Structure formats: structure tokens, C-alpha cells
Amino acid sequence: MVGVFEVGAVPFNPDGWGPPDSITATAPSTTTTLPLHVPFAPFSRSEKLGRIADFTRSFANANPSNRPSSGKPGAASSESPFDFSLDLDTFPLANPDDDSSFRLVDAKPPTRPKFGPKWRFNQHRPQLPQRRDEEVEARKREAEKERARRDRLYNLNRSNQNQQRREAAIFKSSVDIQPEWNMLDQIPFSTFSKLSFSVPEPEDLLLCGALEYYDRSFDRITPKNERRLERFKNRNFFKVTTTDDPVIRRLANEDKATVFATDTILATLMCAPRSVYSWDIVIQRVGNKLFFDKRDGSQLDLLSVHETSQEPLPEAKDDINSAYSLSVEAAYINQNFSQQVLVRDGNKVSFDEPNPFANEGDEVASVAYRYRRWKLDNDMYLIARCEAQSVVEVNNQKSFLTLNALNEFDPKYSGVDWRQKLETQRGAVLATELKNNANKLAKWTAQSILASADLMKLGYVSRVHPRDHFNHVILGVVGYKPRDFAAQINLNTANMWGIVKSIVDLCMKLNEGKYVLVKDPSKPQVRIYEVPADAFENDYVEEPLPEEEQVQPPAEDTEAGEPNGTTNDVEAKETETQT
């Protein structure tokens, strides 16, 4: 049986719109049959009315982020403003207090143009079911946690590597600082970067020695047709300091200059801000003259390997990959490479005087010594002994070359395998070497500029096997113009001479005596100490080798009255490292 719903009489309101204020006032005789306590919500004409019920609305996300919250007018609410439960006899009425929670049902955001501004970030994506949304969010949270964990481990490993590298690389000073030494000054490297000084073109005072021609066939070497590195035991290499050089002594007696040095010492000073390992230079003030020297057995005779790398090297000195062992190996490779890439047919270019350090009948390496003079001030000149290792003829003109070799000892330290990358990605290999050996490459470039070499050749030499530090192969040779290469590695010539000029001016203010300039082992700075006159006379740090392990016979060692450092010390150190 279906109930009948009677509407009843509807009163007429002659004064306005809507029901009259008082039904009895307008129609006293009319009896109303309207149900009592029916909720009535007044509306303004400016308000926008929507649906009274929306059966298509999804309750998966009751309050999307792009809709207003339920506390604001016009927001959608999951509750109906009319809470009716239809019964045949009665109408259960809603609570009158629910009027305050009444909200418009239609709360759709206004439509926006699909390709308007910021469309990419405001496009409305379809909502996934609630369960799938939770799974996606959970996976995102897990991925974020895993990423954060990997970042923590990576940063921890990097910090540990840097700490190990600092301890291994610059833990020990190159010279033992004695308690009686008086520290006069310390100069941070930050002040060197602001220095600048321009010098005029140098003049050649004397050329000594003889040069062999460069073999151009080495320019065509690739990893596929590598060439075995030869050993030159019979050729003598000389590492003579400034004051032991007879030519420099003669020029000093003739008052040709005020400051004297070698290209190795000058390059060390010029590239000091790039250095990490500790080094030292002996300074002697004699009258109004200044001499820059190196100690016997100084680290300047060797070549650093992976000095500026972030990968730590083994700390044990007897390890073939330790910093000291690699320095000896690199010096040995550099010497042999500079002699192998020559045309050894007896044809040489001889200069004014023979090699000033060789005895008659000795077989000496191909090298030319250029004694050059630079003007530092109106009454101050600097003379330096510069070296070139080869010569090449271009357009009927002879050009000087410097020869140096980079060495690969283990690809896992550099991260680049030369045998795989050198032929196809040579730029990446060079960039890695510039990062790991910034100081060594800068010093080679500075020495080439000091010697006014027309070309500097860089060889890529690798071990036959990563655990065999005795046998090597040449994988390639590349040539660069020194000044172009200096610009590529951000080496400023004016800044280089500015560093030298500042140190010379500082030393010229000192009293007569002996001093030592030491790179601090743990800080980017140099210190000047005043030392006794007899310091560093007999402080060769290497122990003598047994007779059966010595490469050079005793008769070829330094004799009395000859310059120190004229023997093949690198070959002896290489043999000691292998044993």
C-alpha cells in the first residue's frame, strides 16, 4: 500500500517573495497543513545554487587539494544538508543546528585552458583508486629512504678517502725541521693568486750540450700497436743543483746577474699553489747575490704521481703503488722515454760548449742546457739553466722540444683505462691526468716556457701488468705548444713570474746566510727558516745499496771536485725499489 502525500494550502504573500511572516496575519481564516519543523535555508539572489544531491560524486578523495576545505563556503561536504530517512507515516526532521554545516554541492573548480600558462604543472590527472595510491606512496617513501642511505654512505666514503689521502700524501715534511731553526715568515698560497709581474723576453747567454732529432714515427703509436719501453743504462743523466754548476759559477763571478736558479726550482716556485706534497728549496744569500738550490737527494729530483688525486695511495713505502715508489718509477720512465723517441743514428746538433757535467768519453743523454737571463728590475737580473731534450726540423728551421711521459700504474686508481680510452677518448684521459697530476703537468709546462721550447711532447706509458712496475709500454705520444697548453690548464705566465718576483724581493731583504723555503706538509702555505751555514751538507736520505745491486760502478760516481748529483741516481733508486 502506497501512502498519499498531501501538500496542503499554500498561503499567498502580497508583500513580497516567499512565505509571509505570519500566516495568521495574511490569511487568518486559512488553516495551514504545512509540516512543522521543516528546515528552511534562506538564500540571497547573488548566491549560486547547485544540485541538492549528486549521485555521481566519488568518495575516494573527499577533499582534493585543488578544492576548498569543508570549513569554507562553497566546499563540498560528504553529509547531505537534509538528513531525511523517508518513512510512510512520519518525516524525521534534521537538527536545526545542522544549518551551519550546510554547503553547496557543486564545488567543481573553474575550467582552465588546456594549453594556458603553467599547463604542464597544473594539468588535472585522473585519480587512482585509494589502495593503489597508498601503494605508490609507499614505494616512493622506500625509494627515498634508499636514496638517502646511499647518499650517506657515499659522503662517508668520500670523507674517509680524503682523510686517508691527506694523511698519506702530506703527512711528513720533506725536510726535518730542527728546533734551533728560526722561522722568519710564512706565506699562504692565497696571496700568490693575486700576484702578477711581466718580464721582457729573455736573452740566451750560452748553449751547452748536444741534441738528437725526434723520431716522428712515435706520433703514430696507438694502444693497438704499442711499443715496448727500452732501458738506457749506459746514458748518464745529470741533476746538478745551482751552486754546483760550473757555468753558473762563472757567470756569477762575471756579475752577469743577481739571482741564480735552475728551471726545476723556478717551476716549483711558479706552480707552488698547485702543490700538495711537501717540498723544500735552499736559499743562499752571498753578498748581493741570491742562489736557489736543492738538497742532495731532494724530492725535486723525482716526479710526483697522483699528487692532486682524491684516491688515496698506499702508505707503506715498500708498496709498488706508494707515493715514493711511484715517484721513482715515474722518474725512471721519464728518463728512458726521453731517449727512446729519438733518431739514434749519430746525427746530433751540437752547441757552443759540450755538456758541462760529463767526463770525456762518457755517453750522455740527449739534452741541451740554455743559460738564459731575465730582467726582474732595473738593476736585478735572473739567470736560470733551462733544458731541452730534442730538436726537430720544421721548414728548414730547428725547433726545440721537451719530452715528458705520464705513467699509468693501475686503472682502478684513475678510473680510466688507457688501453680502452686513449684512442677514442683522448680528451677524457688528459682531463683525468690534469685532475690527478695538476702540479706535475703545470711544472712541465712552466719548464717548457722557460726554455722557449717550440713543442712539448707528452707520452702515455703504462705498465705491462698492473703488478709489474719494471716493464712498460708506450701507448701514445701527443704534442702541444707550451703557451697554448698553459692557457688550457689555466696557467698564467704573469702570475708565475709574480710569485718568483715576490719571493726574490723577500729574500733580498734577508741578511747574508743560508735559509730554507719549506712547503707546509698540512697547510697550503710556505715557510722560511734561517738555518746554520753547515746545514744540508751531508743529508742524503737514501741508504747505500749493496755492491751487487748498484747499477753504476763506483768509478763513475761523483769524484772530489765534481758537481754533486752527476750520477744516475734514479736508476739506482728504481733498482732499490724493485728489490
Side-chain angles (χ1 to χ4, degrees), residues 30 56 64 81 114 156 212 214 222 323 426 535:
T30 306
T56 63
K114 186 175 182 180
L156 182 62
E212 298 181 34
Y214 174 73
T222 62
R426 181 171 293 175

Side-chain angles (χ1 to χ4, degrees), residues 167-236:
E167 292 176 356
I170 55 176
F171 177 74
K172 186 178 180 181
S173 176
S174 62
V175 61
D176 294 331
I177 308 298
Q178 303 299 324
E180 62 271 15
W181 293 1
N182 181 25
M183 190 184 74
L184 302 179
D185 197 1
Q186 57 183 9
I187 310 171
F189 285 165
S190 58
T191 60
F192 286 164
S193 60
K194 306 174 184 177
L195 301 176
S196 179
F197 183 74
S198 298
V199 295
E201 288 296 322
E203 56 176 324
D204 285 332
L205 301 180
L206 188 65
L207 273 78
C208 304
L211 289 178
E212 298 181 34
Y213 286 92
Y214 174 73
D215 189 355
R216 297 177 183 271
S217 64
F218 281 86
D219 292 337
R220 297 187 294 270
I221 291 181
T222 62
K224 294 180 181 179
N225 60 342
E226 60 189 29
R227 196 172 298 187
R228 194 68 173 255
L229 182 68
E230 301 177 11
R231 302 174 65 87
F232 295 86
K233 296 182 179 181
N234 297 327
R235 292 199 172 191
N236 294 321

Side-chain angles (χ1 to χ4, degrees), residues 3 28 37 52 57 82 85 126 176 224 249 258 310 320 329 341 360 374 427 438 474 477 501:
H37 307 296
I52 193 171
R57 183 171 177 271
F82 299 96
S85 178
D176 294 331
K224 294 180 181 179
R249 288 184 176 183
T258 308
Q310 297 296 328
I320 64 172
E329 181 183 355
V341 297
E360 187 177 355
W374 288 266
I474 303 175
V477 181
K501 183 67 164 57

Side-chain angles (χ1 to χ4, degrees), residues 414-483:
S414 62
V416 178
D417 191 348
W418 287 3
R419 286 175 171 81
Q420 298 179 1
K421 304 292 184 180
L422 188 59
E423 192 170 6
T424 59
Q425 301 180 16
R426 181 171 293 175
V429 174
L430 180 61
T432 304
E433 290 302 307
L434 289 174
K435 181 185 69 173
N436 296 335
N437 299 284
N439 186 36
K440 179 170 65 175
L441 284 166
K443 288 167 64 175
W444 286 347
T445 308
Q447 289 176 263
S448 299
I449 294 176
L450 290 173
S452 292
D454 299 282
L455 203 63
M456 54 181 295
K457 291 286 186 178
L458 290 181
Y460 292 90
V461 180
S462 178
R463 292 177 180 175
V464 175
H465 188 272
R467 299 305 302 174
D468 181 8
H469 67 293
F470 193 75
N471 298 303
H472 303 82
V473 290
I474 303 175
L475 301 179
V477 181
V478 187
Y480 301 95
K481 291 184 178 180
R483 294 194 178 273

Side-chain angles (χ1 to χ4, degrees), residues 341-391:
V341 297
L342 306 176
V343 180
R344 298 186 295 276
D345 56 357
N347 188 15
K348 296 183 179 180
V349 178
S350 300
F351 298 102
D352 304 336
E353 296 184 8
N355 194 311
F357 315 120
N359 297 325
E360 187 177 355
D362 288 347
E363 183 180 359
V364 298
S366 171
V367 62
Y369 299 107
R370 305 183 70 176
Y371 293 88
R372 320 191 77 195
R373 182 169 65 176
W374 288 266
K375 184 177 182 180
L376 299 182
D377 208 342
N378 292 332
D379 55 350
M380 184 184 299
Y381 289 86
L382 181 146
I383 289 180
R385 184 189 73 225
C386 307
E387 297 183 12
Q389 287 77 33
S390 181
V391 66

Side-chain angles (χ1 to χ4, degrees), residues 540-558:
Y540 187 67
V541 296
E542 295 300 320
E543 298 179 358
L545 294 174
E547 294 183 0
E548 61 273 10
E549 298 181 6
Q550 293 182 358
V551 177
Q552 296 287 352
E556 295 183 8
D557 288 345
T558 306

Side-chain angles (χ1 to χ4, degrees), residues 61 76 95 131 147 170 188 203 213 294-295 330 354 455 571:
N61 191 359
N95 190 351
R131 184 175 179 182
R147 190 181 304 111
I170 55 176
E203 56 176 324
Y213 286 92
K294 66 177 181 63
R295 295 181 297 106
L455 203 63
E571 189 74 31

Side-chain angles (χ1 to χ4, degrees), residues 9 26 46 157 193 234 249 252 266 292 380-381 384 473 492 499 567:
T26 56
S46 61
N157 293 336
S193 60
N234 297 327
R249 288 184 176 183
L266 285 182
F292 290 89
M380 184 184 299
Y381 289 86
V473 290
N492 190 348
I499 296 174
T567 58

